[in-house]
Amino acid sequence: MLTLSDVHDAAERRLDPVHYDFFAGGAGEERTVAANTEAFDRYRLVPRVLRGVGRRGLDVELLGQALSMPVLVSPTAFHRLAHPDGEVATARAAAAARTVMILSMAATRTVEDVAATGVRLWFQLFVQPDRAFTERLVRRAEKAGCGALVVTVDAPLFGRRDRDVRNGFDDLPAGLACENLREAPTGPPRPITWDPELTWADLAWVCGLTPLPVLVKGILHPDDAHLAVEHGAGGIIVSNHGGRQLDGATATLDALTDVVDAVAGRVPVLLDGGVRRGTDVVTALALGATAVGIGRPVVWGLAADGTAGVRHVLELLRGELDRAMALCGADRVAALGPDLVDIGRCHR
Ligand SMILES: Cc1cc2nc3c(=O)[nH]c(=O)nc-3n(C[C@H](O)[C@H](O)[C@H](O)COP(=O)(O)O)c2cc1C
Ligand SMILES: CCCCC(=O)C(=O)O
């Protein structure tokens, strides 16, 4: 498996086709799923030369945590559909790679079991209409040692994924559950409720609830990025949920520059969606992202070969990023700037 695309192919061969469709699919025509990767195809790099890049550092600091590279694990649901050990297997790989894993609220292993791997862990939250329950979840994540909360804001309701509708896939199979939604160890898990009533006041409420930094995930509009910072966000994740919510939403890479300008350095800006190559990481960082997240590639690694498969995905990206940085004349992440991107020609 020489590329992330090879890992995808191996996963597709191993997964139940219905579960493969759940992981791979997006909303509607999947235009935004396609747009995310297609945007990276459109941007070109303008490398610098003769810059002495024999010693390179890929490490970054993010919200007080040291990462070995600017690539982290975006939250994805239901890892036990891909591997019996589920999110614990994923976490072992992220820990070995010394990067952050964002645990989905829809994880099929408990946050305590995942944290026990020693991974740098953040917890992703859909704010629930029952605010007392939401607060208990936050306390549980804090107690388990999570270093940040990630509030996903692109889901006032659930995007319609046509593949899942066609396949009749609307719930986890017997024996699997969202383990962090049980109120008692053997009690039934509460269902995730999408709350279309959420407003910026609710984000401010979450930010006031916890000393942890709160990242807001699912921002595409620069005015929303500004509002997020005003309401207490400690970080922004430019994301369209991997094209699973609003079909037709802009590619995240196309949205990045305006968001970075609106945030004006006040908090870190991350991006996810369509990152499949080390050069994609270079492009996003050159345009102002502090780090990028990967969603589906992690699931493909997990399905293909468990912890080793996820580790392979992370190390493939690390190797590609290192090579791409050298070829761009950058010896460290901070050396990646917008001058490396052929902005004028990228929208043709
Ligand atoms: C199978 C799957 C499940 C996901 N589950 C969640 C989730 O529970 N919470 C969330 O905030 N985002 C979720 N996402 C969105 C990802 O966090 C991320 O934004 C997206 O996958 C990035 O795009 P990529 O898959 O092209 O890397 C999910 C994405 C996929 C593909
Ligand atoms: C019911 C879990 C939802 C996870 C999610 O956000 C997604 O599938 O995109």
Side-chain angles (χ1 to χ4, degrees), residues 22 77-78 104 106 126 158 161 192 194 241 244-245:
F22 166 70
F78 301 169
S104 166
F126 297 106
F158 199 51
R161 295 93 191 252
I192 295 181
W194 316 105
H241 214 111
R244 295 162 74 84
Q245 289 296 106

Side-chain angles (χ1 to χ4, degrees), residues 23 73-79 87 102-104 106-107 294-296 298-299:
F23 290 128
V73 174
S74 279
T76 49
F78 301 169
H79 285 196
E87 289 78 3
I102 308 176
L103 186 70
S104 166
I294 50 171
R296 293 180 184 83
V298 168
V299 174

